[in-house]
């Protein structure tokens, strides 16, 4: 939660997060499928209850490039649930939910149903797993969905698939965008799709992609993005 708060304070207009389904069918907001890399505990999220996951220190292993040691360790930071993030989400902030495993799709649709961010178009569900976003559309066609494209996957094929399956956008790795992305953006627009990408941290690249009309990009440095683009 601390990372989301800091991102919004820095001027990010949306928060992107990852969800996994726990052993007791709750949605844990955590990137990895295990606790090992990012907390002081170990174990697969899918094999642990949410109460067990909450015992982990979510700040134990996080450090920024200029930090000495781990300044967020021992501060009571815990792995949140999607419901907690939804309850916190500021009214003007968008939310992009990456579904890490297909099994979580039903729970995501149930969790966001009726939430203001979904009703007013600030919320979208994305995944590398085609079956996950197809399931979301099956359950709630009004919920915006996007196809996360794995590095190296042909973008023409990804755009065609997303359009055929009724998704709202495609989101490739930034390094796979062509030097001139305008034809790609035009192709997607003709099919009713937006194009975003991940991850953009360099100011010059941010400025270029915003200038050609990219829908949005994921960044690790929202303060740099706001300073570079001059907007929130």
């Amino acid at each position: 939660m601390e990372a989301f708060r800091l991102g919004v304070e820095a001027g990010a207009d949306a928060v992107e997060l990852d969800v996994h389904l726990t052993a007791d069918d709750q949605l844990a907001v955590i990137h990895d499928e295990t606790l090992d890399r990012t907390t002081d505990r170990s174990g697969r999220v899918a094999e642990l209850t949410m109460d067990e996951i909450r015992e982990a220190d979510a700040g134990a292993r996080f450090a920024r490039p200029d930090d000495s040691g781990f300044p967020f360790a021992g501060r009571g930071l815990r792995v949140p649930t999607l419901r907690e993030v939804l309850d916190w989400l500021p009214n003007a902030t968008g939310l992009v939910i990456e579904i890490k495993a297909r099994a979580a799709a039903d729970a995501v649709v149930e969790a966001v149903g009726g939430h203001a961010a979904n009703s007013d178009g600030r919320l979208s569900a994305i995944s590398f797993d085609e079956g996950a976003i197809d399931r979301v559309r099956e359950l709630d066609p009004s919920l915006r969905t996007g196809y996360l494209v794995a590095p190296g996957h042909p973008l023409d094929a990804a755009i065609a698939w997303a359009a055929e399956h009724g998704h709202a956008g495609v989101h490739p790795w930034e390094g796979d965008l062509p030097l001139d992305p305008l034809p790609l953006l035009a192709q997607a627009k003709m099919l009713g799709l937006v194009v975003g990408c991940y991850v953009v941290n360099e100011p010059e690249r941010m400025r270029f992609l915003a200038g050609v009309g990219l829908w949005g990009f994921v960044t690790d440095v929202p303060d740099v993005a706001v300073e570079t683009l001059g907007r929130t």
Side-chain angles (χ1 to χ4, degrees):
M1 292 295 294
E2 187 70 9
F4 304 146
R5 293 189 185 98
L6 290 172
V8 171
E9 289 174 6
D13 49 18
V15 169
E16 189 269 350
L17 54 79
D18 312 285
V19 294
H20 288 270
L21 197 65
T22 66
D24 54 344
D25 294 326
Q26 296 196 55
L27 289 166
V29 177
I30 184 171
H31 179 276
D32 294 2
E33 64 180 19
T34 72
L35 301 180
D36 302 45
R37 183 179 66 89
T38 58
T39 80
D40 61 344
R41 300 295 179 96
S42 62
R44 292 176 56 82
V45 174
E47 297 173 354
L48 298 169
T49 67
M50 197 64 218
D51 284 345
E52 290 171 327
I53 292 168
R54 285 190 186 284
E55 294 175 1
D57 182 349
R61 301 185 186 278
F62 179 77
R64 295 160 297 195
D66 296 331
D67 285 336
S68 176
F70 300 97
F72 293 93
R75 290 175 50 177
L77 301 179
R78 301 292 176 235
V79 175
T81 64
L82 179 59
R83 172 53 55 194
E84 289 172 317
V85 176
L86 289 167
D87 289 344
W88 159 83
L89 189 70
N91 290 335
T93 302
L95 181 64
V96 180
I97 302 169
E98 180 183 342
I99 302 172
K100 285 293 190 177
R102 190 176 308 187
D106 289 44
V108 167
V109 173
E110 181 179 357
V112 304
H115 192 277
N118 190 21
S119 303
D120 62 21
R122 286 183 289 123
L123 188 147
S124 60
I126 62 176
S127 186
F128 290 105
D129 185 332
E130 296 95 332
I133 50 176
D134 276 351
R135 177 61 175 165
V136 169
R137 283 212 28 93
E138 178 184 346
L139 294 171
D140 183 359
S142 69
L143 204 166
R144 291 173 56 89
T145 48
Y147 182 27
L148 267 174
V149 187
H153 187 84
L155 297 188
D156 287 347
I159 288 172
W161 181 87
E164 180 182 350
H165 287 249
H167 300 297
V170 290
H171 307 280
W173 175 53
E174 179 272 333
D176 281 339
L177 290 174
L179 291 177
D180 178 9
L182 285 174
L184 181 77
L185 297 178
Q187 176 191 0
K189 185 176 181 179
M190 284 180 57
L191 295 172
L193 301 173
V194 298
V195 178
C197 72
Y198 64 95
V199 173
V200 184
N201 292 331
E202 295 299 324
E204 288 187 11
R205 188 62 168 164
M206 293 176 179
R207 192 175 295 111
F208 172 76
L209 292 173
V212 297
L214 195 78
W215 175 74
F217 55 79
V218 174
T219 182
D220 299 319
V221 285
D223 53 337
V224 174
V226 171
E227 181 180 357
T228 299
L229 301 178
R231 59 184 174 86
T232 58

